[in-house]
Amino acid sequence: MPINIAVFASGAGSNFINLFNKIASNNLNGSIVLLVSNNPNSGAVKFAKNNDICIKIINKFRYKDKTTINKEYKSSLKENKINLILLAGFMKKIPVDLIKIYRNKILNIHPSLLPDYGGKGFFGMNVHHAVFNANEKISGATVHYVNKDYDRGPILIQKKVEIQNCKGPNEIAKKVLEIEHEIFPKAVQIFLNKM
Ligand code: GAR
Protein backbone atom coordinates (compact mmCIF):
# COMPACT_ATOMS: atom_id res chain seq x y z
CA MET A 1 0.00 0.00 0.00
CA PRO A 2 1.43 3.41 -0.95
CA ILE A 3 2.09 5.79 1.92
CA ASN A 4 -0.35 8.72 2.15
CA ILE A 5 1.59 11.97 2.46
CA ALA A 6 0.41 15.39 3.64
CA VAL A 7 2.42 18.49 2.75
CA PHE A 8 2.13 21.58 4.95
CA ALA A 9 3.08 24.78 3.09
CA SER A 10 2.45 28.52 3.55
CA GLY A 11 4.12 30.25 0.63
CA ALA A 12 5.17 29.99 -3.00
CA GLY A 13 5.19 26.23 -2.71
CA SER A 14 8.22 25.48 -4.87
CA ASN A 15 9.23 22.63 -2.55
CA PHE A 16 5.70 21.23 -2.58
CA ILE A 17 5.48 21.38 -6.38
CA ASN A 18 8.91 19.82 -6.74
CA LEU A 19 8.04 17.04 -4.29
CA PHE A 20 4.76 16.35 -6.04
CA ASN A 21 6.43 16.06 -9.45
CA LYS A 22 9.40 13.99 -8.26
CA ILE A 23 7.30 11.60 -6.20
CA ALA A 24 5.10 10.99 -9.25
CA SER A 25 7.94 10.59 -11.74
CA ASN A 26 10.27 8.54 -9.51
CA ASN A 27 7.64 5.93 -8.82
CA LEU A 28 8.03 6.21 -5.06
CA ASN A 29 5.86 4.17 -2.75
CA GLY A 30 3.86 7.18 -1.63
CA SER A 31 1.63 9.93 -2.88
CA ILE A 32 0.73 13.44 -1.74
CA VAL A 33 -2.97 13.32 -1.00
CA LEU A 34 -3.39 16.40 1.20
CA LEU A 35 -2.10 19.98 1.32
CA VAL A 36 -2.49 21.83 4.61
CA SER A 37 -1.96 25.58 4.54
CA ASN A 38 -2.65 28.60 6.70
CA ASN A 39 -2.61 30.79 3.58
CA PRO A 40 -5.48 30.39 1.10
CA ASN A 41 -3.76 32.75 -1.37
CA SER A 42 -0.46 30.86 -1.48
CA GLY A 43 1.15 29.37 -4.56
CA ALA A 44 0.97 26.02 -2.80
CA VAL A 45 -2.84 26.19 -2.59
CA LYS A 46 -3.10 27.28 -6.21
CA PHE A 47 -1.02 24.29 -7.33
CA ALA A 48 -3.05 21.89 -5.20
CA LYS A 49 -6.29 23.23 -6.74
CA ASN A 50 -4.96 22.77 -10.26
CA ASN A 51 -3.84 19.23 -9.50
CA ASP A 52 -6.89 17.95 -7.63
CA ILE A 53 -5.07 17.56 -4.34
CA CYS A 54 -7.30 17.80 -1.28
CA ILE A 55 -6.76 21.15 0.48
CA LYS A 56 -7.29 22.02 4.11
CA ILE A 57 -6.94 25.65 5.16
CA ILE A 58 -6.27 26.02 8.86
CA ASN A 59 -5.78 29.46 10.37
CA LYS A 60 -7.01 31.71 13.15
CA PHE A 61 -9.50 33.47 10.86
CA ARG A 62 -11.30 30.23 10.14
CA TYR A 63 -11.07 28.59 13.56
CA LYS A 64 -11.53 30.50 16.74
CA ASP A 65 -8.88 29.13 19.10
CA LYS A 66 -5.82 26.89 19.39
CA THR A 67 -7.82 23.90 20.66
CA THR A 68 -10.08 23.96 17.59
CA ILE A 69 -7.10 24.46 15.30
CA ASN A 70 -5.36 21.43 16.84
CA LYS A 71 -8.49 19.34 16.40
CA GLU A 72 -8.71 20.36 12.74
CA TYR A 73 -5.12 19.29 12.08
CA LYS A 74 -5.76 15.92 13.67
CA SER A 75 -9.11 15.22 12.02
CA SER A 76 -7.97 16.15 8.50
CA LEU A 77 -4.88 13.95 8.86
CA LYS A 78 -6.97 11.09 10.17
CA GLU A 79 -9.63 11.43 7.46
CA ASN A 80 -6.96 11.24 4.78
CA LYS A 81 -5.15 8.33 6.51
CA ILE A 82 -1.88 10.26 6.51
CA ASN A 83 1.26 8.48 7.66
CA LEU A 84 3.93 11.00 6.63
CA ILE A 85 3.91 14.80 7.00
CA LEU A 86 6.29 17.01 5.02
CA LEU A 87 6.76 20.60 6.17
CA ALA A 88 7.66 22.50 3.01
CA GLY A 89 7.90 26.16 3.99
CA PHE A 90 5.21 25.94 6.66
CA MET A 91 5.43 29.05 8.81
CA LYS A 92 3.29 27.92 11.75
CA LYS A 93 4.36 25.93 14.79
CA ILE A 94 3.22 22.31 14.81
CA PRO A 95 1.26 21.50 18.00
CA VAL A 96 3.15 19.27 20.42
CA ASP A 97 0.44 16.62 20.56
CA LEU A 98 0.56 16.27 16.78
CA ILE A 99 4.32 15.78 17.02
CA LYS A 100 3.68 13.03 19.58
CA ILE A 101 1.11 11.27 17.39
CA TYR A 102 3.37 11.53 14.33
CA ARG A 103 6.62 10.72 16.15
CA ASN A 104 9.43 10.29 13.55
CA LYS A 105 6.88 10.82 10.78
CA ILE A 106 7.23 14.56 10.26
CA LEU A 107 10.07 15.92 8.10
CA ASN A 108 10.95 19.59 7.78
CA ILE A 109 13.14 21.38 5.24
CA HIS A 110 15.19 24.26 6.61
CA PRO A 111 17.19 26.70 4.46
CA SER A 112 20.48 26.55 6.39
CA LEU A 113 23.07 24.11 7.66
CA LEU A 114 21.41 23.29 10.97
CA PRO A 115 22.12 23.70 13.83
CA ASP A 116 23.43 27.01 12.43
CA TYR A 117 20.78 29.64 11.74
CA GLY A 118 17.95 27.60 13.19
CA GLY A 119 15.51 28.16 16.04
CA LYS A 120 13.23 31.04 16.93
CA GLY A 121 13.08 33.79 14.32
CA PHE A 122 15.04 31.86 11.71
CA PHE A 123 12.69 31.16 8.84
CA GLY A 124 12.48 32.01 5.15
CA MET A 125 14.43 35.10 4.09
CA ASN A 126 15.41 35.90 7.71
CA VAL A 127 17.83 33.00 7.50
CA HIS A 128 19.47 34.26 4.31
CA HIS A 129 19.76 37.83 5.64
CA ALA A 130 21.52 36.51 8.76
CA VAL A 131 23.84 34.29 6.72
CA PHE A 132 24.70 37.18 4.37
CA ASN A 133 25.30 39.63 7.24
CA ALA A 134 27.61 37.13 8.90
CA ASN A 135 29.68 36.95 5.72
CA GLU A 136 29.40 33.18 5.48
CA LYS A 137 31.10 31.55 2.50
CA ILE A 138 29.02 28.41 2.69
CA SER A 139 25.35 27.81 3.37
CA GLY A 140 23.03 24.95 2.53
CA ALA A 141 19.84 23.15 3.41
CA THR A 142 18.80 20.51 5.92
CA VAL A 143 15.98 17.98 6.13
CA HIS A 144 15.35 16.85 9.68
CA TYR A 145 12.79 14.99 11.74
CA VAL A 146 10.54 17.28 13.72
CA ASN A 147 10.51 16.92 17.47
CA LYS A 148 9.45 19.29 20.23
CA ASP A 149 12.76 21.20 20.07
CA TYR A 150 12.35 23.68 17.25
CA ASP A 151 14.76 22.96 14.34
CA ARG A 152 16.70 20.54 16.53
CA GLY A 153 15.31 17.13 15.50
CA PRO A 154 17.70 14.46 14.11
CA ILE A 155 19.11 15.36 10.70
CA LEU A 156 18.22 13.07 7.81
CA ILE A 157 20.11 14.80 5.03
CA GLN A 158 22.09 18.00 4.60
CA LYS A 159 23.91 19.60 1.68
CA LYS A 160 26.27 22.57 1.42
CA VAL A 161 26.46 25.23 -1.27
CA GLU A 162 29.12 27.90 -1.89
CA ILE A 163 27.75 31.40 -1.54
CA GLN A 164 30.90 33.51 -1.48
CA ASN A 165 30.03 35.17 -4.81
CA CYS A 166 26.46 36.00 -3.79
CA LYS A 167 25.77 39.73 -3.76
CA GLY A 168 22.82 39.60 -1.40
CA PRO A 169 20.32 37.44 0.51
CA ASN A 170 18.15 36.91 -2.59
CA GLU A 171 21.01 35.30 -4.46
CA ILE A 172 21.73 33.07 -1.48
CA ALA A 173 18.05 32.09 -1.28
CA LYS A 174 18.07 31.07 -4.94
CA LYS A 175 21.15 28.87 -4.54
CA VAL A 176 19.85 27.28 -1.36
CA LEU A 177 16.44 26.60 -2.92
CA GLU A 178 18.13 24.58 -5.68
CA ILE A 179 19.74 22.44 -2.99
CA GLU A 180 16.39 22.10 -1.20
CA HIS A 181 14.80 20.76 -4.36
CA GLU A 182 17.56 18.15 -4.55
CA ILE A 183 17.58 16.91 -0.99
CA PHE A 184 13.91 16.95 0.05
CA PRO A 185 12.79 14.29 -2.47
CA LYS A 186 15.91 12.27 -1.53
CA ALA A 187 14.94 12.45 2.14
CA VAL A 188 11.42 11.27 1.32
CA GLN A 189 12.87 8.39 -0.65
CA ILE A 190 15.11 7.42 2.28
CA PHE A 191 12.10 7.58 4.59
CA LEU A 192 9.87 5.50 2.31
CA ASN A 193 12.58 2.87 1.77
CA LYS A 194 12.71 2.33 5.52
CA MET A 195 8.95 1.70 5.82
C1 GAR B 1 12.08 27.37 1.78
O1 GAR B 1 13.31 28.00 1.60
C2 GAR B 1 12.07 26.58 3.09
O2 GAR B 1 13.30 25.99 3.39
C3 GAR B 1 11.73 27.66 4.07
O3 GAR B 1 10.75 28.42 3.43
C4 GAR B 1 10.97 28.40 2.02
C5 GAR B 1 9.68 28.02 1.33
O4 GAR B 1 9.81 28.10 -0.06
N1 GAR B 1 11.31 27.10 5.33
C6 GAR B 1 11.61 27.62 6.51
O5 GAR B 1 12.24 28.64 6.65
C7 GAR B 1 11.08 26.84 7.71
N2 GAR B 1 11.77 27.22 8.89
P1 GAR B 1 8.77 27.40 -1.01
O6 GAR B 1 7.40 27.88 -0.58
O7 GAR B 1 9.12 27.91 -2.38
O8 GAR B 1 8.91 25.92 -0.88
Side-chain angles (χ1 to χ4, degrees):
M1 272 281 281
I3 299 297
N4 285 341
I5 303 171
V7 172
F8 285 34
S10 303
S14 74
N15 275 291
F16 165 46
I17 296 166
N18 175 62
L19 283 165
F20 182 82
N21 291 332
K22 294 229 168 106
I23 287 173
S25 63
N26 289 354
N27 244 336
L28 299 187
N29 185 31
S31 67
I32 297 173
V33 296
L34 174 68
L35 172 76
V36 174
S37 184
N38 57 307
N39 179 3
N41 302 315
S42 58
V45 168
K46 201 173 162 198
F47 180 83
K49 268 186 196 152
N50 290 338
N51 288 277
D52 288 329
I53 300 164
C54 181
I55 301 166
K56 178 77 186 178
I57 304 291
I58 302 180
N59 60 33
K60 62 180 183 201
F61 305 109
R62 218 163 256 220
Y63 301 105
K64 59 180 180 348
D65 53 31
K66 270 195 182 158
T67 316
T68 324
I69 285 182
N70 287 358
K71 270 191 198 152
E72 288 299 322
Y73 280 129
K74 282 191 243 171
S75 61
S76 51
L77 294 167
K78 204 173 168 190
E79 267 165 35
N80 289 282
K81 299 190 172 60
I82 298 300
N83 23 38
L84 170 63
I85 300 173
L86 304 175
L87 306 183
F90 189 60
M91 300 304 172
K92 294 284 164 192
K93 232 178 155 202
I94 301 297
V96 177
D97 54 338
L98 199 62
I99 294 174
K100 276 190 196 146
I101 297 169
Y102 281 89
R103 203 171 159 268
N104 293 329
K105 287 181 178 163
I106 309 179
L107 306 181
N108 177 47
I109 182 111
H110 187 82
S112 77
L113 295 171
L114 288 175
D116 295 346
Y117 303 99
K120 205 163 185 276
F122 285 116
F123 56 87
M125 283 306 294
N126 291 359
V127 174
H128 305 303
H129 277 280
V131 166
F132 182 71
N133 291 339
N135 251 321
E136 300 285 4
K137 296 196 172 27
I138 289 174
S139 189
T142 307
V143 178
H144 66 95
Y145 289 98
V146 172
N147 63 16
K148 63 176 181 16
D149 305 316
Y150 202 62
D151 286 341
R152 288 287 181 273
I155 291 174
L156 196 71
I157 188 166
Q158 189 168 59
K159 192 171 174 180
K160 293 179 182 168
V161 63
E162 279 195 17
I163 52 160
Q164 58 201 13
N165 296 328
C166 289
K167 291 183 184 61
N170 285 335
E171 270 186 44
I172 297 177
K174 208 171 153 218
K175 283 201 149 190
V176 170
L177 204 56
E178 274 173 31
I179 298 295
E180 293 185 39
H181 293 171
E182 237 181 82
I183 67 169
F184 210 177
K186 270 191 195 157
V188 174
Q189 186 152 21
I190 292 169
F191 180 94
L192 293 175
N193 287 345
K194 277 200 235 163
M195 301 262 316

Short mmCIF file of all heavy atoms in Angstrom, two decimals, residues 11-15 88-89 91 109-111 122-124 177 180, ligand 1:
data_model
loop_
_atom_site.label_atom_id
_atom_site.label_comp_id
_atom_site.label_asym_id
_atom_site.label_seq_id
_atom_site.Cartn_x
_atom_site.Cartn_y
_atom_site.Cartn_z
N GLY A 11 3.70 29.21 1.57
CA GLY A 11 4.12 30.25 0.63
C GLY A 11 4.06 29.85 -0.83
O GLY A 11 3.10 29.21 -1.29
N ALA A 12 5.12 30.22 -1.55
CA ALA A 12 5.17 29.99 -3.00
C ALA A 12 4.93 28.52 -3.35
O ALA A 12 4.30 28.20 -4.36
CB ALA A 12 6.52 30.43 -3.53
N GLY A 13 5.46 27.66 -2.52
CA GLY A 13 5.19 26.23 -2.71
C GLY A 13 6.14 25.53 -3.66
O GLY A 13 5.82 24.45 -4.15
N SER A 14 7.31 26.12 -3.91
CA SER A 14 8.22 25.48 -4.87
C SER A 14 8.66 24.09 -4.38
O SER A 14 8.78 23.17 -5.18
CB SER A 14 9.42 26.36 -5.19
OG SER A 14 10.33 26.37 -4.13
N ASN A 15 8.87 23.96 -3.08
CA ASN A 15 9.23 22.63 -2.55
C ASN A 15 8.10 21.63 -2.71
O ASN A 15 8.32 20.48 -3.07
CB ASN A 15 9.64 22.73 -1.08
CG ASN A 15 11.10 23.09 -0.91
OD1 ASN A 15 11.98 22.30 -1.22
ND2 ASN A 15 11.35 24.32 -0.47
N ALA A 88 6.96 21.91 4.15
CA ALA A 88 7.66 22.50 3.01
C ALA A 88 7.40 24.01 3.01
O ALA A 88 6.55 24.50 2.29
CB ALA A 88 7.16 21.86 1.72
N GLY A 89 8.13 24.72 3.89
CA GLY A 89 7.90 26.16 3.99
C GLY A 89 6.62 26.45 4.75
O GLY A 89 5.85 27.33 4.36
N MET A 91 4.96 28.02 7.90
CA MET A 91 5.43 29.05 8.81
C MET A 91 4.67 29.08 10.14
O MET A 91 4.69 30.09 10.84
CB MET A 91 5.36 30.42 8.12
CG MET A 91 6.22 30.50 6.87
SD MET A 91 7.96 30.07 7.18
CE MET A 91 8.63 30.02 5.52
N ILE A 109 11.98 20.85 5.98
CA ILE A 109 13.14 21.38 5.24
C ILE A 109 13.47 22.75 5.80
O ILE A 109 12.58 23.58 6.02
CB ILE A 109 12.90 21.45 3.71
CG1 ILE A 109 14.14 21.94 2.97
CG2 ILE A 109 11.71 22.32 3.33
CD1 ILE A 109 14.81 20.93 2.14
N HIS A 110 14.75 22.97 6.05
CA HIS A 110 15.19 24.26 6.61
C HIS A 110 16.30 24.83 5.71
O HIS A 110 17.21 24.10 5.33
CB HIS A 110 15.68 24.07 8.05
CG HIS A 110 15.98 25.38 8.71
ND1 HIS A 110 15.01 26.16 9.29
CD2 HIS A 110 17.15 26.07 8.82
CE1 HIS A 110 15.55 27.27 9.76
NE2 HIS A 110 16.85 27.23 9.49
N PRO A 111 16.24 26.14 5.42
CA PRO A 111 17.19 26.70 4.46
C PRO A 111 18.53 27.13 5.04
O PRO A 111 19.04 28.22 4.75
CB PRO A 111 16.42 27.90 3.90
CG PRO A 111 15.58 28.37 5.04
CD PRO A 111 15.22 27.14 5.83
N PHE A 122 14.35 32.24 12.93
CA PHE A 122 15.04 31.86 11.71
C PHE A 122 14.10 31.09 10.78
O PHE A 122 13.92 29.88 10.93
CB PHE A 122 16.27 31.01 12.02
CG PHE A 122 17.42 31.80 12.55
CD1 PHE A 122 17.90 31.59 13.83
CD2 PHE A 122 18.03 32.78 11.77
CE1 PHE A 122 18.96 32.33 14.34
CE2 PHE A 122 19.09 33.52 12.26
CZ PHE A 122 19.56 33.30 13.54
N PHE A 123 13.51 31.80 9.86
CA PHE A 123 12.69 31.16 8.84
C PHE A 123 12.74 32.00 7.57
O PHE A 123 13.00 33.20 7.62
CB PHE A 123 11.22 30.99 9.31
CG PHE A 123 10.58 32.27 9.73
CD1 PHE A 123 9.96 33.10 8.79
CD2 PHE A 123 10.62 32.69 11.05
CE1 PHE A 123 9.38 34.31 9.17
CE2 PHE A 123 10.05 33.90 11.44
CZ PHE A 123 9.43 34.71 10.50
N GLY A 124 12.51 31.33 6.44
CA GLY A 124 12.48 32.01 5.15
C GLY A 124 13.67 32.94 4.94
O GLY A 124 14.81 32.60 5.24
N LEU A 177 17.68 27.24 -2.46
CA LEU A 177 16.44 26.60 -2.92
C LEU A 177 16.73 25.45 -3.90
O LEU A 177 16.08 24.40 -3.86
CB LEU A 177 15.51 27.64 -3.55
CG LEU A 177 14.02 27.31 -3.56
CD1 LEU A 177 13.49 27.03 -2.16
CD2 LEU A 177 13.22 28.45 -4.18
N GLU A 180 17.60 22.63 -1.86
CA GLU A 180 16.39 22.10 -1.20
C GLU A 180 15.66 21.16 -2.14
O GLU A 180 15.20 20.08 -1.74
CB GLU A 180 15.46 23.25 -0.78
CG GLU A 180 16.03 24.13 0.30
CD GLU A 180 15.03 25.19 0.76
OE1 GLU A 180 13.84 24.90 0.85
OE2 GLU A 180 15.47 26.33 1.03
C1 GAR B 1 12.08 27.37 1.78
O1 GAR B 1 13.31 28.00 1.60
C2 GAR B 1 12.07 26.58 3.09
O2 GAR B 1 13.30 25.99 3.39
C3 GAR B 1 11.73 27.66 4.07
O3 GAR B 1 10.75 28.42 3.43
C4 GAR B 1 10.97 28.40 2.02
C5 GAR B 1 9.68 28.02 1.33
O4 GAR B 1 9.81 28.10 -0.06
N1 GAR B 1 11.31 27.10 5.33
C6 GAR B 1 11.61 27.62 6.51
O5 GAR B 1 12.24 28.64 6.65
C7 GAR B 1 11.08 26.84 7.71
N2 GAR B 1 11.77 27.22 8.89
P1 GAR B 1 8.77 27.40 -1.01
O6 GAR B 1 7.40 27.88 -0.58
O7 GAR B 1 9.12 27.91 -2.38
O8 GAR B 1 8.91 25.92 -0.88
#
